[in-house]
Structures are given as C-alpha cells and as structure tokens.
Amino acid sequence: MPRSVKVAVTGAAGQIGYALLPRLASGSVFGPEVQVSLSLLEVTPALAALEGVVMELDDCAFPLLKSIEITDDPNKAFDGVNWGLLVGSKPRSKGMERGDLIRENGPIFVGQGNALANAASDVQVLVVGNPANTNCLIAMQNAKAGGVPSNRFHAMTRLDQNRAQAQLAKKAGVPVAQVTNMVIWGNHSATQYPDAENAKINGRDVPDVIGHISWLQDDFIKVVQQRGAEVISARGLSSAASAANAALDHVVSMESITAEGDFFSSGVISDGSYGIEEGLIFSFPIRSYGNGDWEIVQGLDLSAFAKEKISATEIELQEERSVIADLLK
Ligand code: NAD
Ligand code: LMR
C-alpha cells in the first residue's frame, strides 16, 4: 500500500490557499511515493468559492491526490489529519501592523485549537494566520486539553528566513543556496531579529564575507522586518506566493532530518533557551528529527546588539499575550 498523508488547510479559498494547494497535491512536498488527502476548511460564505478551487484541483489530474473534502466545521476538517496548516484569518491591509489583527483573528484559534483533538496522534501544526506567534499560542493552549502535545505547534517565520537569505545572497552576489544557518529570533512582526551574525555564506561567517557591518545592523534588518508591509504597499494585498512557498518549505524541513550543523527558523514553545520566557511561542534556530520532534539549537553566540534586539521582540510577544489572555486556557 502506498503511504498517504492527510493535510488540513484552513482559509483554503484565500490567496495563500490558492498558491499552496496545487503544490501540496502535486507531490512536490511529501514526495512521489506519498498520496495526499486534503481536508479544506472555510467559513460558510466562502464554501462556494472553495468548490471552484476543488474543481481546479480535480482538473489538474494530480496522480497523487487521493481525496478532497471541504467543510465549514473545524471538528470535521481536523479529523485524522497528520498536518494542520492554519492559514484562515484576516490579513492586514496597508498601514496596519500584524498585531492590529489580534482581537479579530485570535478567537478563530480557540475553536480550531479545541478541534485539533480530532487530529491524528502524529499531527504537526503550522500557524500562518497573523499575528502568527500569538495565534499559535492560543491554538496550542486550547489544544492541550485535547491531548495535543505543545511541541507539535509552530508559528511560521520561514518566510522571514527566506527573505533574509535572499537579501544576504543579493548583497554578497552569491546564489541563495549558499546562505545557511539563518535564524529569525522572536515574533513574526516588525520587531523580529534576523541574525546575520550567526548566518553563513558558503560556510563562512556572514559579517566576514559581507564586511559592511552598518548595513547588516541597519538596512538588512529593516528590509526583512518591513518586507511584508512593502509587499502590501506594492501589491495592495499581502504576500501569498512567497507565504505559501515558505509554509511548504517548513513542512519539507519538518519531514526531513536537518543536516548536521544546519538549522532553520520556526516559532516554537520556549523552554527558557537563550533566556526567553518559558511558554512563549518564539522563533528560534531549530533542528528537526524528521518525525515531528525537534530541538532548539543551543550555543549560538549573541552579541550585546543581538541580545537587545531579542529582548525587544520578547517584550512584544509578552504584550500580545496580555491582550488575548482571556483566550488562553
Ligand atoms: P485571504 O483573505 O486571501 O484568505 C483568508 C481566508 O481565510 C479567507 O478565504 C477567509 O474566508 C478564510 N477564513 C477566515 N476566517 C476563517 C475561519 N475561522 N476558518 C476558516 N477559514 C477562515 O488571506 P491570505 O492572504 O490567504 O492570508 C491569510 C493569513 O495569513 C492572514 O492572516 C495573513 O496576514 C497571514 N500571512 C502570514 C504570513 C506569515 O509569514 N506568517 C505570510 C503571509 C500572510
Ligand atoms: C508577511 O510577512 O508578508 C505577512 O505576515 C503578511 C503581512 O501582513 O505582512
């Protein structure tokens, strides 16, 4: 029997869903041996549009696409799923910060956290909907009662990692694949700290390769922090193709064993590493064991500059948590 994986995608009729679903169904994420069943969740008024997306997926005739179910009931959507990609929520518009969405989107993740009790025992969850770290905290806390382990929850900072790698590659004039060990610390927000000091280009420290320290400590950080807003300003809509791509990169990284010496960025529950308050969903350098388990990479050197930036993003996450304290079990 071929292996199969069941994936729930929420907000499946939205922009990110449209970019994500064909790639999930094509086999490019789980590989050519794995059949994919899709379980798509939308709010009731968007189900008609979602039916159109399903027609298109059918019309792609993907050999590995085993089944597609659509529903507006989170309990059904998460039934038996191995992956939950929690995208569905409102995007910000021009002039807003991601944190401005907190009271509007936060409640979505209470119901979905509860419903995740219906998922398979090996479920892994990636929260994409903004503000991603705090929504992830809400889902994680509400899923606890249903027995879903907290280490199964991730908030997406892979898009920030990819953005940072692309900027460093451009500056150094190297192919992006040569940029590794790129950690985003903290919140998926304008306080995130993209850490060039610990990143590598072809195995060498980025500050040694690029040399332009004031650029690394100023423009580089600002460009990555503000990239989402820049895309919204240019497109009139928030990033979708790059966000879907990052979500799938995250899934691929979690399904593989991270190469020795490397790591990737993800918002996970803090165990107190690097002095970050336990229990916050904080983006760290992580290594995956390929079976849903992961570890925070220890021992990275943090300069005084880095520590100050990391502290600012931790404080912002504590503040976001206080705004939705009533949604945490
Ligand atoms: P979109 O508005 O195009 O689509 C969102 C979809 O979610 C809509 O179809 C809507 O009907 C659906 N939805 C709303 N509430 C829902 C619920 N309770 N259950 C199921 N579905 C629901 O938005 P988008 O561009 O696809 O973005 C989705 C989210 O992802 C936004 O919050 C956006 O800010 C966020 N985002 C995060 C990152 C990241 O890096 N973490 C990157 C890009 C976008
Ligand atoms: C992004 O980083 O592109 C997304 O979080 C969307 C946004 O609001 O910036």
Side-chain angles (χ1 to χ4, degrees):
M1 285 286 284
R3 226 186 101 211
S4 73
V5 63
K6 187 169 179 187
V7 185
V9 179
T10 76
Q15 293 199 86
I16 296 176
Y18 195 72
L20 185 81
L21 292 169
R23 286 178 62 189
L24 262 182
S26 72
S28 67
V29 176
F30 294 100
E33 309 292 327
V34 182
Q35 292 190 322
V36 179
S37 296
L38 294 175
S39 179
L40 309 180
L41 179 70
E42 257 299 350
V43 292
T44 316
L47 284 176
L50 185 54
E51 278 172 17
V53 176
V54 172
M55 286 181 220
E56 286 208 61
L57 289 169
D58 283 342
D59 296 348
C60 290
F62 288 123
L64 290 167
L65 181 54
K66 192 174 169 191
S67 63
I68 313 175
E69 288 163 30
I70 70 171
T71 180
D72 56 4
D73 176 353
N75 289 305
K76 283 195 190 139
F78 294 128
D79 188 24
V81 300
N82 311 103
W83 269 97
L85 304 180
L86 275 50
V87 178
S89 52
K90 203 174 161 182
R92 65 170 162 161
S93 45
K94 208 168 171 170
M96 291 170 83
E97 285 300 330
R98 298 177 184 97
D100 296 338
L101 298 167
I102 203 163
R103 286 299 323 177
E104 231 169 312
N105 285 340
I108 296 173
F109 296 86
V110 174
Q112 292 185 2
N114 286 321
L116 277 161
N118 296 325
S121 59
D122 65 354
V123 69
Q124 300 185 60
V125 180
L126 176 67
V127 176
V128 175
N130 279 317
N133 297 53
T134 298
N135 289 338
C136 183
L137 178 69
I138 297 169
M140 178 188 81
Q141 293 284 34
N142 284 279
K144 241 190 211 170
V148 189
S150 296
N151 75 345
R152 295 297 156 147
F153 286 81
H154 296 253
M156 188 165 94
T157 54
R158 187 54 169 267
L159 177 53
D160 309 291
Q161 173 189 322
N162 288 348
R163 287 167 171 166
Q165 284 176 233
Q167 292 301 317
L168 292 177
K170 258 194 195 169
K171 182 77 176 172
V174 299
V176 75
Q178 290 184 12
V179 184
T180 61
N181 300 72
M182 186 69 243
V183 52
I184 304 294
W185 298 92
N187 200 3
H188 172 62
S189 77
T191 65
Q192 68 180 273
Y193 173 53
D195 181 353
E197 291 174 13
N198 281 298
K200 309 262 185 221
I201 292 179
N202 245 337
R204 291 178 59 209
D205 291 345
V206 161
D208 293 344
V209 177
I210 290 184
H212 191 164
I213 303 300
S214 61
W215 181 84
L216 288 174
Q217 292 195 336
D218 189 26
D219 295 16
F220 164 68
I221 294 175
K222 283 194 194 130
V223 166
V224 178
Q225 289 176 334
Q226 294 299 333
R227 190 67 159 188
E230 224 190 315
V231 171
I232 291 170
S233 164
R235 237 169 66 82
L237 287 169
S238 79
S239 56
S242 56
N245 177 68
L248 299 178
D249 281 350
H250 175 91
V251 174
V252 170
S253 290
M254 285 306 299
E255 291 281 320
S256 337
I257 299 172
T258 309
E260 198 53 47
D262 200 5
F263 49 73
F264 60 96
S265 300
S266 182
V268 292
I269 183 167
S270 170
D271 60 356
S273 291
Y274 297 96
I276 301 305
E277 185 189 331
E278 267 181 57
L280 282 181
I281 296 287
F282 197 88
S283 182
F284 285 107
I286 74 161
R287 291 172 49 78
S288 161
Y289 300 151
N291 60 359
D293 291 336
W294 47 267
E295 64 179 8
I296 296 173
V297 173
Q298 304 295 324
L300 296 190
D301 284 336
L302 296 175
S303 63
F305 174 83
K307 284 182 184 157
E308 197 185 310
K309 297 278 179 204
I310 290 172
S311 166
T313 195
E314 180 185 21
I315 290 168
E316 184 185 46
L317 281 168
Q318 290 162 336
E319 287 167 358
E320 285 189 14
R321 182 184 56 191
S322 69
V323 177
I324 48 78
D326 59 312
L327 304 181
L328 302 176
K329 273 206 178 132

